[in-house]
Amino acid sequence: MTVMPRPSILSVEPYVGGESKVPGVNRIVKLSSNEGAFGPPPRAIDAISRMAEDAHRYPDGGATALREAIGRAHGLDPARIVCGNGSDEILALLILAYGGEGTELVMSAHGFLMYDLTGRWAGCRVIKVPEKDLAADVDGLLAAVGPRTRLLCLANPNNPTGALLPQSEVNRLRAGLRDDVLLVLDSAYAEYVDDPGYDPGVGLVDSGTNTVMTRTFSKIYGLGGMRLGWAYAPAGVADVLNRVRGPFNVNAAAMAAGIGALEEPGWVAKNVAHNAEWRRRLSDGLAGMGIKPWPSHGNFVLADFGSPQAAQAADVHLRSRGLIVRAMGAYGLPSCLRITIGTAEECTSVLDALADRPQHA
Ligand SMILES: *Cc1c(COP(=O)(O)O)cnc(C)c1O
């Protein structure tokens, strides 16, 4: 006999993040984790260094100043904002609180991997619904919902596909779900969306009791290493999150960094403009070489090389030049590589390297 976790835990594959090293190559360009092209905002860097001498103090467990800053920046009620150690933590807390043994979690086939991993941790049966052209299929999602379904998780835009579901489709999804199914709208890439009809989730959160929006400082704000995310939720769901989260789940440096990032003048606009330009240039460049770029609304492009062999060969070739992108086998897309939009120079290096890649018959 030995100690054993609940059976569902052993079906969880450890999450493998984007790599950051290539043996034997000194200069590395990391385009594997969608970390933002420009590093952290200068005001966030200042805030982190200034708080260092207070590192012996416990952080404000209520994250009051940070929630107020987020509320001001987004026009939201801070009482219904809950902060987390990355939005991954918020997603996990929601899935553990509303899911569990005997329940089902519904997601799109190529939805964000963490829903699957955490769903299994919670003991949910995770149902993956086939997509249409790598975009979530609302009719399919609704058809997959059964009496035991408690959660439906949708990233919009989605990572890794880049697909954006039109607002009318998101609204139709919510309208078609029972009231006891929590719709989790993961809007990690909201800032990059340029569709004027897009709502990252605020409208649906406000108009009901069963939709949550999650957001992150890891992408456009370049603070992935700080681990900071947040949810905007109906009062009942915010109350649940506040019961189950650790009392000091967000550390003091992360809170200071988040407040600093929100105060950085022009940061979002500068990043959005750069991203739109280089997402287009990268996509056009790939298409010009016969590599299919899936339309993306995030800070990355999913590039389809036509076969797993061709994708793997391109990955090996990029690595030999110190360019690390993300292989997509774990997402069930082995013919694809996901390339983060980096600086102009980094994107150009990727295109130049791919143009030089050995061609396979
Ligand atoms: C990066 C990402 C997250 C996680 O962000 P953290 O706040 O760093 O935990 C969540 N959802 C999607 C779709 C992402 O791409």
Side-chain angles (χ1 to χ4, degrees):
M1 276 221 274
T2 181
V3 291
M4 286 292 285
R6 284 185 292 109
S8 76
I9 306 284
L10 297 178
S11 75
V12 179
E13 298 287 339
Y15 183 84
V16 181
E19 289 170 63
S20 52
K21 289 197 181 75
V22 180
V25 180
N26 290 329
R27 195 177 160 275
I28 290 296
V29 172
K30 185 176 180 233
L31 299 173
S32 56
S33 298
N34 302 343
E35 289 158 327
F38 299 123
R43 289 195 185 192
I45 298 174
D46 276 359
I48 295 166
S49 13
R50 271 188 281 108
M51 74 67 55
E53 63 196 48
D54 288 327
H56 60 305
R57 302 283 181 210
Y58 275 91
D60 168 17
T64 309
L66 174 61
R67 286 186 298 103
E68 284 172 356
I70 294 170
R72 271 195 305 280
H74 293 271
L76 301 175
D77 175 6
R80 292 198 283 125
I81 293 170
V82 180
C83 297
N85 188 250
S87 51
D88 279 354
E89 185 197 22
I90 305 265
L91 293 165
L93 295 175
L94 289 168
I95 293 169
L96 288 160
Y98 290 91
E101 302 287 346
T103 73
E104 291 166 354
L105 179 156
V106 174
M107 64 183 282
S108 195
H110 301 104
F112 190 48
L113 219 46
M114 289 304 298
Y115 316 147
D116 184 5
L117 302 183
T118 320
R120 288 162 187 262
W121 170 16
C124 308
R125 186 160 85 96
V126 177
I127 300 176
K128 293 192 177 180
V129 177
E131 295 166 349
K132 285 192 177 147
D133 278 338
L134 291 195
D137 172 22
V138 167
D139 293 310
L141 289 168
L142 289 174
V145 171
R148 292 165 180 261
T149 304
R150 292 293 174 274
L151 290 138
L152 194 150
C153 299
L154 177 76
N156 200 39
N158 184 48
N159 169 22
T161 59
L164 181 75
L165 212 53
Q167 196 55 41
S168 55
E169 285 292 279
V170 179
N171 294 343
R172 192 162 75 81
L173 175 62
R174 177 67 268 179
L177 289 172
R178 290 193 318 268
D179 283 349
D180 65 339
V181 178
L182 184 68
L183 174 61
V184 180
L185 287 176
D186 175 347
S187 304
Y189 300 94
E191 291 84 354
Y192 296 108
V193 175
D194 51 20
D195 177 342
Y198 175 70
D199 175 349
V202 174
L204 285 174
V205 172
D206 283 343
S207 63
T209 55
N210 44 21
T211 304
V212 186
M213 167 181 80
T214 62
R215 303 287 291 264
T216 183
F217 280 88
S218 301
K219 307 287 158 59
I220 202 158
Y221 288 109
L223 290 172
M226 285 282 108
R227 312 305 304 123
L228 184 59
W230 53 280
Y232 178 61
V237 177
D239 174 59
V240 167
L241 286 171
N242 281 320
R243 287 168 193 262
V244 295
R245 69 180 176 81
F248 304 108
N249 62 327
V250 181
N251 72 72
M255 289 196 273
I259 294 169
L262 291 170
E263 287 171 352
E264 185 71 38
W267 185 259
V268 171
K270 167 182 151 181
N271 275 266
V272 166
H274 171 85
N275 192 67
E277 177 182 352
W278 283 94
R279 186 172 60 194
R280 180 177 52 73
R281 288 203 194 193
L282 185 64
S283 301
D284 291 352
L286 291 168
M289 289 181 251
I291 301 162
K292 176 179 170 140
W294 285 91
S296 172
H297 297 267
N299 68 338
F300 56 88
V301 172
L302 184 70
D304 191 337
F305 290 76
S307 74
Q309 294 73 15
Q312 206 207 339
D315 194 19
V316 168
H317 176 69
L318 289 171
R319 273 164 195 275
S320 72
R321 303 213 175 167
L323 299 163
I324 306 184
V325 301
R326 189 70 156 263
M328 287 281 111
Y331 276 93
L333 297 165
S335 303
C336 297
L337 300 176
R338 191 193 66 198
I339 307 167
T340 299
I341 307 300
T343 63
E345 191 199 352
E346 290 167 346
C347 295
T348 306
S349 302
V350 168
L351 288 173
D352 289 349
L354 287 174
D356 274 5
R357 77 194 189 284
Q359 292 293 325
H360 290 254

